Amino acid sequence: MDRKLFFQVRRQPPELIIPAKPTPTVPKPLSDLDDREGLRYKLSGVQIYGQNSCMKNPVKVIREALAKTLVFYYPFAGRLREGPDRKLTVDCTGEGVVFVAAEADVRAEEFPLYPPFPCMDQLLYDHDHLHGSQGILNSPLMFVQVTRLSCGGFILAIKFTHNMCDAFGMSQFLTAMGVIARGRTSPSVLPIWKRELLNVRNPPKATCTHHEFTQLATKSTTDPNPDSEMVYRSFFFNSTNISVLRNLVPQHLTKCSTFDLLAACIWRNRTIALALHPEQKVRLVFAVNARSRLKSSIPVGYYGNAFVLPGVISTVKDLCKNPIGYALELVMNAKANVTEEYLRSFIDITVMKGRAPISTEWTYIVDDLTQLGLWDTNYGWGKPIYGGMAYSEVDPTPGTGNFFLRIRKKDGDEDEIVAPMCLPAGAMERFEKELQKLLVYGNYIKILSAL
């Protein structure tokens, strides 16, 4: 697909969609896991639907479903206020979320089905041009644009304030909207607020090691051209590629997940590609969904942020000179250490540091969204041909990190995992070569073991 796809969108004026029925007005404080400085931005998702012979007007259906869904998720129709110590609270004013109807002379099949998507500024209304929407305070918490396509399909793009929920919370909201769009009067899973479940302890105490907050000193780079132009590439992994990489895994680590394996491989290859000083310390940070790890049980329907960001640290020399098992074991041990106590310690140290974000120097951040439910949202026209994040990067700073996403292939082919990358041009070339070397070596090991 041509990543330079260009088209013009004809938008109707933005409107505020309010809940379809009166909703409570009691203020709702965010949790201390929500209320982090590093989440004070808006996260975007995209769903692309192809032509359907039963197609009604998706703008009308989704607009009405949005209003009805906001009855249950009414905090999204409010506004964030900042209190003492910059504590965030939702003022449940019922003012509404921004909705835009649009049309575009482009077909669904012209879009590449992985991020970053071309012309996202056309597919999602630029909220910074809306009066009063700068930042996250005192402004709408959600923006939705439905763009009808020339083929008869449509695109739903959404942007929401990350402090309100994580990607899985967004998926829960859209699933609820899909159920209501298809005729139900309430979501299949009712939303639960209960943000107090993830608040700081009294007194707060950091009881675990948190490499994600460690400051890393800077060594001189060995990259001959560290400031070269940043470029994007997407790397695809099917079951065959992953099987080949598993041939490189030592026996005691064979129970590693696909995410563990890819995170370790990409972190190592990325570090090699950046040609850093051998004694430079580098870090991998990855998101872990804590919902299934809490003994105290986050209730089904909880849609707040419920993830932590464990980090692992290595010198460049150790990471690059050792086999892949070295990085893989670091990742697996860090994930295994995410217990309820770790979560509580993470919340406490975050608050103790004044809600400061994690340290990002010499850091690669990755988030596994291969199980995100945006692929299955049905508003009445079946499942989307793409459902996932709008952009390829976890952090707004180019090159800091990326999502792992699931890509649905056509014609019954197996799904693939895509890892979009952003690196300086020279480093990108080296990264591709290192990845190819790993795949070739893994295949060689596979052949030897079969003899």
Side-chain angles (χ1 to χ4, degrees):
M1 292 289 183
D2 185 5
R3 306 300 289 187
K4 296 181 180 179
L5 175 66
F6 179 78
F7 53 90
Q8 285 290 339
V9 168
R10 299 178 296 280
R11 291 191 181 101
Q12 296 180 15
E15 55 184 307
L16 285 173
I17 303 297
I18 64 172
K21 297 178 181 179
T23 54
T25 57
V26 61
K28 288 189 169 292
L30 295 182
S31 78
D32 289 316
L33 196 58
D34 295 318
D35 194 9
R36 287 178 278 163
E37 188 70 31
L39 299 184
R40 290 194 174 207
Y41 68 97
K42 291 183 170 67
L43 198 60
S44 302
V46 171
Q47 295 172 313
I48 303 176
Y49 293 82
Q51 182 181 10
N52 188 305
S53 58
C54 300
M55 184 69 73
K56 300 177 184 177
N57 183 346
V59 171
K60 181 177 184 296
V61 170
I62 293 173
R63 182 195 282 116
E64 292 177 356
L66 178 58
K68 293 176 182 178
T69 306
L70 287 173
V71 173
F72 301 93
Y73 288 86
Y74 62 89
F76 276 120
R79 301 293 182 263
L80 281 180
R81 316 293 190 205
E82 197 172 62
D85 299 322
R86 303 184 71 230
K87 177 66 179 176
L88 293 176
T89 296
V90 182
D91 186 3
C92 296
T93 62
E95 292 176 74
V97 304
V98 176
F99 181 85
V100 174
E103 296 180 346
D105 294 326
V106 63
R107 301 175 63 84
E109 57 266 29
E110 294 182 67
F111 283 89
L113 299 183
Y114 54 93
F117 287 95
C119 303
M120 266 311 300
D121 60 330
Q122 296 285 312
L123 296 174
L124 189 55
Y125 183 72
D126 185 356
H127 58 86
D128 287 336
H129 291 166
L130 186 67
H131 177 69
S133 69
Q134 295 283 351
I136 65 164
L137 299 176
N138 310 311
S139 68
L141 299 175
M142 183 183 295
F143 300 80
V144 177
Q145 179 173 321
V146 177
T147 304
R148 301 185 70 176
L149 306 176
S150 60
C151 63
F154 68 94
I155 294 176
L156 186 150
I158 183 171
K159 181 175 285 191
F160 61 96
T161 301
H162 202 341
N163 296 98
M164 290 290 291
C165 67
D166 54 21
F168 289 92
M170 176 185 71
S171 177
Q172 180 180 311
F173 176 88
L174 291 174
T175 298
M177 194 163 72
V179 166
I180 289 173
R182 300 199 312 274
R184 286 185 58 122
T185 57
S186 64
S188 303
V189 176
L190 291 175
I192 292 177
W193 185 261
K194 289 190 176 296
R195 304 298 171 103
E196 69 277 5
L197 291 174
L198 298 180
N199 276 345
V200 67
R201 294 177 288 196
N202 186 18
K205 50 186 177 180
T207 55
C208 300
T209 301
H210 293 279
H211 290 305
E212 57 271 30
F213 290 101
T214 303
Q215 300 294 319
L216 300 183
T218 299
K219 303 285 185 180
S220 61
T221 181
T222 58
D223 188 338
N225 188 18
D227 298 319
S228 60
E229 176 189 3
M230 302 294 283
V231 296
Y232 287 89
R233 296 277 191 281
S234 287
F235 297 88
F236 298 86
F237 299 89
N238 57 27
S239 59
T240 300
N241 301 141
I242 293 166
S243 176
V244 166
L245 291 175
R246 284 188 178 278
N247 292 316
L248 305 173
V249 174
Q251 185 64 33
H252 68 292
L253 301 177
T254 53
K255 291 186 178 180
C256 68
S257 69
T258 297
F259 169 79
D260 299 338
L261 179 59
L262 291 181
C265 289
I266 291 177
W267 180 40
R268 179 178 181 272
N269 288 0
R270 177 182 182 275
T271 303
I272 294 172
L274 290 172
L276 305 176
H277 191 286
E279 300 302 325
Q280 175 65 54
K281 288 185 177 180
V282 292
R283 172 172 37 217
L284 171 68
V285 169
F286 53 95
V288 174
N289 188 343
R291 287 170 172 83
S292 62
R293 293 171 176 261
L294 288 186
K295 294 178 182 178
S296 58
S297 301
I298 294 178
V300 174
Y302 185 89
Y303 63 100
N305 289 282
F307 69 95
V308 290
L309 295 163
V312 296
I313 294 174
S314 172
T315 63
V316 169
K317 178 176 61 180
D318 287 342
L319 181 60
C320 299
K321 297 299 182 184
N322 278 302
I324 196 63
Y326 169 80
L328 179 58
E329 191 160 19
L330 289 176
V331 172
M332 293 177 69
N333 288 341
K335 185 186 285 188
N337 287 335
V338 178
T339 59
E340 179 165 6
E341 182 60 31
Y342 184 94
L343 172 72
R344 299 296 171 189
S345 179
F346 180 89
I347 295 171
D348 288 359
I349 194 172
T350 299
V351 173
M352 291 163 65
K353 289 179 173 290
R355 299 190 177 86
I358 63 171
S359 302
T360 56
E361 70 273 8
W362 306 108
T363 299
Y364 168 55
I365 307 172
V366 65
D367 193 356
D368 180 14
L369 297 182
T370 57
Q371 302 303 313
L372 191 62
L374 297 185
W375 276 108
D376 299 316
T377 312
N378 181 356
Y379 301 105
W381 296 278
K383 295 180 180 181
I385 59 175
Y386 173 82
M389 308 316 292
Y391 300 100
S392 60
E393 297 189 282
V394 174
D395 190 274
T397 305
T400 302
N402 62 283
F403 301 104
F404 290 169
L405 300 165
R406 179 165 58 95
I407 300 300
R408 181 171 293 152
K409 304 297 285 185
K410 296 180 180 179
D411 303 323
D413 292 342
E414 64 171 340
D415 291 354
E416 292 182 336
I417 294 174
V418 60
M421 295 291 294
C422 178
L423 288 169
M428 185 63 79
E429 290 184 17
R430 294 190 290 272
F431 178 87
E432 292 184 85
K433 290 178 181 177
E434 289 298 325
L435 180 59
Q436 188 60 33
K437 282 167 58 177
L438 268 188
L439 290 170
V440 169
Y441 184 56
N443 197 49
Y444 175 70
I445 297 296
K446 181 179 181 179
I447 293 172
L448 284 183
S449 63
L451 294 178

